[in-house]
Amino acid sequence: LDPRPVQGGPAYTTTLDVPPADGFFAAPTFKGAFGSDLWLDKFSWLSDNGKLPDNAAYPSPATTLCGDITASITLTQTQSPYFMTCQVFVKSPAVLTIEKGVTIKSYLEDTNGKAPVLVIEQGAKIMAVGTKTEPITFTSVLPSRGLPARGTW
């Protein structure tokens, strides 16, 4: 569960409320209770029970993996980490290339209760060659203090 709005989404791009000009309130940069800081981390039942992602992990549209991949893409080390937020299917004839040193963090489940998974369908390809010093890592988005845990990456 990640209650933060999607970077570049409507919570950031629609007209923001203007606070009174009395100097007490700061101008907001987003709508709602959450910006990029997941303030519930370590202060809620969700955090105590391993339901929140690591506060340092904040996906952007460019680093989110979800749905069908129908054209070839490359996951680069410079944009890593990537976040698998739902089931991902690489469709033929697409090629998913994962550079060495890339980390892919997976959520527990998507908004429909399905576990995120990476499926390379027949006719599609995955090209992923890590090294001993720069491995390709699949892990959980949950904080390390709660891992390993059953049902997580």
Side-chain angles (χ1 to χ4, degrees), residues 14-95:
T14 57
T15 303
L16 300 175
D17 298 330
V18 178
D22 59 10
F24 180 76
F25 294 101
T29 56
F30 58 90
K31 285 191 173 198
F34 298 94
S36 61
D37 181 33
L38 187 55
W39 56 264
L40 286 175
D41 191 30
K42 300 183 185 117
F43 294 106
S44 68
W45 179 92
L46 292 169
S47 179
D48 291 344
N49 289 277
K51 303 294 183 189
L52 291 177
D54 187 351
N55 194 25
Y58 189 45
S60 70
T63 61
T64 300
L65 302 173
C66 182
D68 295 342
I69 296 175
T70 57
S72 296
I73 64 167
T74 299
L75 305 184
T76 65
Q77 188 177 13
T78 56
Q79 284 198 311
S80 183
Y82 290 85
F83 300 90
M84 197 161 35
T85 59
C86 74
Q87 296 182 341
V88 178
F89 296 88
V90 182
K91 305 281 191 179
S92 178
V95 177

Side-chain angles (χ1 to χ4, degrees), residues 114-137:
K114 296 180 179 177
V117 63
L118 177 61
V119 177
I120 312 301
E121 293 188 357
Q122 185 174 3
K125 294 180 183 176
I126 183 169
M127 303 295 290
V129 181
T131 67
K132 184 176 182 178
T133 57
E134 295 181 288
I136 294 169
T137 306

